[in-house]
Amino acid sequence: MRDDHSPALRAFHLIARYGSFTRAAADMEVTASALSQTMRQLEQRVGVRLLQRTTRKVGLTEAGRQFLERITPALAAIDGALDELRQHGDRPAGTLRVTVPEIVLDWLVAPLQADFLRRWPELTLDVGVTGGLVDLVAEGYDCGIRLGERLARDMVAVPLGGKVRSIVAAAPGYLDKHGRPQHPRELQNHACIRNRYVTSGAIYRWEFAQRGRWFDLDVGGPLIVNHPSLAIRAALDGLGLTHTLEPAVREHLTAGRLESVLDTWLPPYDGFYLYYPSRFQVPPKLRAFIDFLRERMAQR
């Protein structure tokens, strides 16, 4: 296929990735109608239907899936080559792709991203929010942020802020009305806001520790969510207790909007790390991100 097909291939790759013309068009900074026309022209040129379009979603035909598998490594190689070329300059440049869990968005990633990009304007930060572990190489990410206990041994891990604690918290009004549990087994008498894992669909069992040994409990309650911010919002609204990371609700605790319970059953554990594949030389764009996070963690 000739070079003039490259924009169409990138358009197809983005549409397949997002399952949406609108999101792909926004990524490419073109209109959805222009992107649709580009795809029609590509399908006409190759003589094969690549996409299944409905009013609700965009899917791939069998030929489209096979085509995507073939072109994805090539596009990744081209992007990597371009990024490497940009790295010959003194300043970090190119696109830095980072995968992060939902729980760190509001207290770690979102407050820092604007300052990072102002410091390094030649960089594009591409943040992917994912629930489970991600194969960085296969998915095309430069690095990720995860709890230390979940990292593969072949990854280079940079600690971000040391140990963390989980807490069980609720609005003071809820606790005044329903009581403050002194033992995890008392949670059976409370409304617990439960979290569902995005990747597996399983509901998180609340974890506690006694004399250094961890155990988990299956709690009950009126609300199940798959994003931490929804659970925190529900707790603030007095709906029940939430089990979350202390940094995610630190401001609410300080302001008195939330109150923690069962603290003696929740000791600190290994915190978050920035991780990336072992390489002989760390790209300048990744080194800039690592140094920036270390700087901000030290300030905190």
Side-chain angles (χ1 to χ4, degrees):
M1 193 167 281
R2 302 188 307 275
D3 289 343
D4 58 0
H5 288 98
S6 180
L9 297 183
R10 293 192 178 279
F12 170 67
H13 183 266
L14 286 174
I15 293 168
R17 175 180 166 189
Y18 292 129
S20 165
F21 274 89
T22 302
R23 291 185 63 187
D27 201 311
M28 297 187 72
E29 298 182 345
V30 299
T31 65
S33 59
L35 200 61
S36 180
Q37 178 65 21
T38 297
M39 286 309 306
R40 281 196 294 269
Q41 293 173 351
L42 176 62
E43 290 176 326
Q44 289 172 358
R45 289 170 184 169
V46 298
V48 176
R49 191 177 184 86
L50 300 173
L51 299 174
Q52 295 280 14
R53 302 169 178 84
T54 68
T55 56
R56 289 190 173 185
K57 61 183 295 186
V58 180
L60 297 177
T61 64
E62 182 178 357
R65 285 193 295 272
Q66 294 175 353
F67 188 53
L68 181 66
E69 291 176 359
R70 293 292 300 273
I71 69 169
T72 296
L75 291 175
I78 292 172
D79 289 339
L82 289 172
D83 272 349
E84 288 179 7
L85 197 59
R86 295 187 186 103
Q87 299 305 321
H88 286 293
D90 293 333
R91 293 175 62 81
T95 298
L96 180 70
R97 297 196 67 215
V98 186
T99 170
V100 301
E102 299 96 330
I103 193 66
V104 304
L105 278 181
D106 292 337
W107 62 271
L108 178 58
V109 179
L112 304 181
Q113 59 190 12
D115 287 344
F116 175 71
L117 291 173
R118 290 190 188 103
R119 181 177 297 185
W120 304 112
E122 294 88 354
L123 273 174
T124 296
L125 186 61
D126 185 347
V127 180
V129 182
T130 50
L133 288 177
V134 174
D135 186 327
L136 297 183
V137 177
E139 297 294 330
Y141 285 101
D142 295 287
C143 64
I145 296 175
R146 288 294 185 276
L147 286 171
E149 64 187 26
R150 304 192 68 193
L151 297 183
R153 292 184 178 180
D154 59 345
M155 290 288 149
V156 178
V158 180
L160 299 177
K163 291 183 177 295
V164 297
R165 286 184 65 243
S166 291
I167 65 166
V168 173
Y174 171 88
L175 295 172
D176 290 342
K177 182 177 181 179
H178 300 280
R180 291 163 172 79
Q182 303 299 313
H183 191 286
R185 64 170 171 264
E186 296 177 26
L187 293 173
Q188 63 184 345
N189 301 318
H190 284 268
C192 296
I193 302 157
R194 293 174 288 171
N195 294 274
R196 185 185 299 278
Y197 291 110
V198 175
T199 49
S200 68
I203 295 177
Y204 171 67
R205 293 171 62 90
W206 289 17
E207 296 175 278
F208 301 93
Q210 183 178 35
R211 301 187 186 93
R213 298 187 64 179
W214 288 89
F215 63 95
D216 56 63
L217 293 176
D218 185 16
V219 299
L223 181 64
I224 301 172
V225 300
N226 68 355
H227 198 288
S229 64
L230 294 176
I232 295 169
R233 180 71 261 173
L236 288 167
D237 291 339
L239 193 59
L241 295 151
T242 183
H243 189 297
T244 188
L245 288 176
E246 186 273 337
V249 293
R250 186 174 294 155
E251 291 184 5
H252 297 306
L253 294 169
T254 301
R257 293 184 291 267
L258 290 177
E259 179 183 334
S260 64
V261 295
L262 301 173
D263 289 346
T264 57
W265 297 86
L266 291 161
Y269 53 87
D270 203 13
F272 284 94
Y273 288 75
L274 182 143
Y275 69 105
Y276 58 93
S278 178
R279 294 175 178 169
F280 177 72
Q281 184 176 10
V282 178
K285 61 181 180 180
L286 179 54
R287 173 53 58 193
F289 190 58
I290 293 172
D291 291 343
F292 181 84
L293 286 180
R294 280 176 162 171
E295 172 190 317
R296 289 308 175 91
M297 291 301 101
Q299 291 175 358
R300 288 185 178 184

